[in-house]
Amino acid sequence: MNEVKKTKYWNPYIGGIMLGLVLLSANFISGRGLGASGAIKSAVVTTVNTVMPSHAENSAFYSEYNESHPGNPMKSWLVFQVFGVLVGGFLSGTFAKRLKFKVEHSPKISSKRRLIFALLGGALFGFGSQLGRGCTSGSALSGMAVLSLGGFITMACIFGTAFALAYFFRKNWI
Amino acid sequence: MGPLVVNEFISPDTNLFLAFLIGIGFGFVLESSGFSSSRKLAGMFYGYDTTVLKVFFTAAITALVGMLFFSLFGWVDLDLIYINPTFLHSAIVGGVIMGVGFIMGGFCPGTAFCAISIGKLDALAFIGGLFLGIVIFTEGYPLFEELYKAEFIGAPTMNEILDIPRGVFALGLILVAFGMFWVGEWAEKKFPREEY
């Protein structure tokens, strides 16, 4: 039984090398790193362009974005890549028999509390990723691989803050 | 030769198709490494599971060393690789806000997409939050524009800032990473936790 549990996930160093090779191929093929938050931004801009076109024309962010990104915002590298992430994650979960609808949380808290914190955390992460020009994958990981100063700063701030606040949110996790 | 799309070896549409394949690899690796579990991700900050640290830094140094070799062999022109620009203030403030989101929500955007693909409903809530946070930013943009554009210092790399060769910085980073792996292994022994 113990052995089964141990082989549940890949060895992290093997996983890291594989992830590094994926990142390397993104750089070799497309001259850029991986990302995720940019795809949601594309979806937000598309929604606003479609539902409230006059608002998109008159507000600073959308008009700046549409001017600098001609064409359909959904026809972007990151959007296609994120669709791939959904497929890839699903395939891995299928092979490993991990497909299951559930709310994962510490036994000390309720599902409801977990979902509220997930929503709040997501909102902060979404906002921060826009201010920081990319999230953990786009700014921190991909930035570090190309030695970008900004990538290193953002990486240090994300992990440093999470460590500094871990004590206050421990009930959620341990 | 590389990057293939910049040097027009492949068309922009082929590039989008390859983005989809790269995404499949990205999602597959994240899920297989356990990044679809928020409790596993959060474990990093309590020492009971340092998978995030190990995968993250192994990936960064693998890609970094790979790029150095590709450049050495003439397979890729490093000058054509996108380097994210550095806006000092927003990089710091944005990073700190993302850090709060990470410890509260237990995911980051990439891992949340990976987790929702296998049915984690907390990841769905997190993605809902991401949309909300991004809309707050785009709608309130005039309020944040000044901070967003402050202290632009171009797109410097770490080795340029320190004025040392790229390879020397890479070697230093690899040594630091190995030091952290050692700390990670030590922490997992010191703060053990039953499987979750």
Side-chain angles (χ1 to χ4, degrees):
Chain A
M1 196 61 201
N2 227 353
E3 214 164 350
V4 176
K5 276 179 181 167
K6 267 185 192 157
T7 52
K8 213 166 70 159
Y9 294 113
W10 285 357
N11 172 300
Y13 301 109
I14 304 284
I17 290 171
M18 296 305 286
L19 181 57
L21 294 177
V22 173
L23 182 53
L24 185 61
S25 49
N27 275 309
F28 176 69
I29 293 169
S30 308
R32 51 158 305 140
L34 304 165
S37 54
I40 309 175
K41 179 164 70 186
S42 293
V44 168
V45 173
T46 306
T47 309
V48 174
N49 284 348
T50 316
V51 181
M52 301 177 284
S54 62
H55 179 63
E57 259 169 57
N58 297 325
S59 353
F61 183 85
Y62 307 106
S63 54
E64 265 182 39
Y65 184 93
N66 287 325
E67 228 169 80
S68 58
H69 299 75
N72 185 344
M74 290 307 276
K75 204 183 164 183
S76 88
W77 198 92
L78 283 176
V79 171
F80 280 80
Q81 183 238 255
V82 163
F83 279 124
V85 169
L86 291 171
V87 175
F90 180 79
L91 289 175
S92 167
T94 308
F95 293 144
K97 300 190 171 61
R98 279 193 286 266
L99 295 185
K100 194 183 171 195
F101 284 112
K102 72 167 171 183
V103 179
E104 189 180 28
H105 59 84
S106 161
K108 287 182 194 152
I109 61 167
S110 65
S111 290
K112 192 176 150 202
R113 178 179 157 122
R114 168 69 190 126
L115 290 173
I116 292 169
F117 271 91
L119 184 78
L120 291 175
L124 286 164
F125 219 120
F127 183 86
S129 69
Q130 293 317 298
L131 202 55
R133 294 176 172 74
C135 58
T136 339
S137 40
S139 189
L141 177 62
S142 304
M144 263 184 82
V146 294
L147 298 183
S148 150
L149 173 68
F152 273 80
I153 293 173
T154 303
M155 187 271 302
C157 290
I158 295 175
F159 288 109
T161 308
F163 267 117
L165 298 181
Y167 178 80
F168 304 102
F169 294 101
R170 65 191 182 286
K171 204 177 141 196
N172 283 8
W173 305 112
I174 54 175
Chain B
M1 190 158 72
L4 298 183
V5 72
V6 182
N7 287 327
E8 299 186 343
F9 275 89
I10 55 171
S11 72
D13 282 343
T14 310
N15 190 34
L16 290 182
F17 176 69
L18 292 173
F20 179 66
L21 296 186
I22 289 169
I24 292 180
F26 187 24
F28 197 96
V29 173
L30 285 180
E31 208 291 320
S32 299
S33 302
F35 281 34
S36 54
S37 160
S38 56
R39 294 195 74 201
K40 201 167 172 65
L41 293 168
M44 157 92 191
F45 305 108
Y46 302 96
Y48 64 79
D49 190 328
T50 57
T51 301
V52 171
L53 173 109
K54 294 177 203 164
V55 173
F56 189 93
F57 279 95
T58 310
I61 60 181
T62 301
L64 174 59
V65 172
M67 292 295 278
L68 279 171
F69 277 111
F70 277 25
S71 161
L72 186 68
F73 302 152
W75 294 352
V76 74
D77 183 352
L78 288 182
D79 292 334
L80 298 178
I81 300 288
Y82 177 77
I83 298 189
N84 28 339
T86 302
F87 292 77
L88 219 45
H89 292 177
S90 62
I92 294 171
V93 179
V96 167
I97 294 172
M98 283 189 266
V100 183
F102 203 167
I103 197 66
M104 283 176 73
F107 287 115
C108 60
T111 56
F113 280 111
C114 170
I116 190 62
S117 75
I118 65 157
K120 295 280 169 68
L121 298 171
D122 39 337
L124 187 63
F126 189 88
I127 292 171
L130 288 174
F131 272 97
L132 203 63
I134 292 176
V135 169
I136 292 170
F137 180 85
T138 57
E139 287 299 318
Y141 182 66
L143 297 172
F144 319 121
E145 192 175 359
E146 201 179 327
L147 175 62
Y148 185 67
K149 291 180 176 167
E151 290 295 317
F152 175 57
I153 51 173
T157 59
M158 291 299 284
N159 57 304
E160 285 167 11
I161 295 272
L162 298 170
D163 202 18
I164 54 173
R166 201 180 170 93
V168 173
F169 184 84
L171 180 65
L173 188 67
I174 291 168
L175 295 176
V176 170
F178 276 80
M180 287 192 296
F181 296 155
W182 187 82
V183 173
E185 299 291 352
W186 168 83
E188 282 179 18
K189 284 198 192 79
K190 190 168 160 67
F191 308 102
R193 203 144 283 276
E194 72 280 20
E195 273 299 322
Y196 38 89

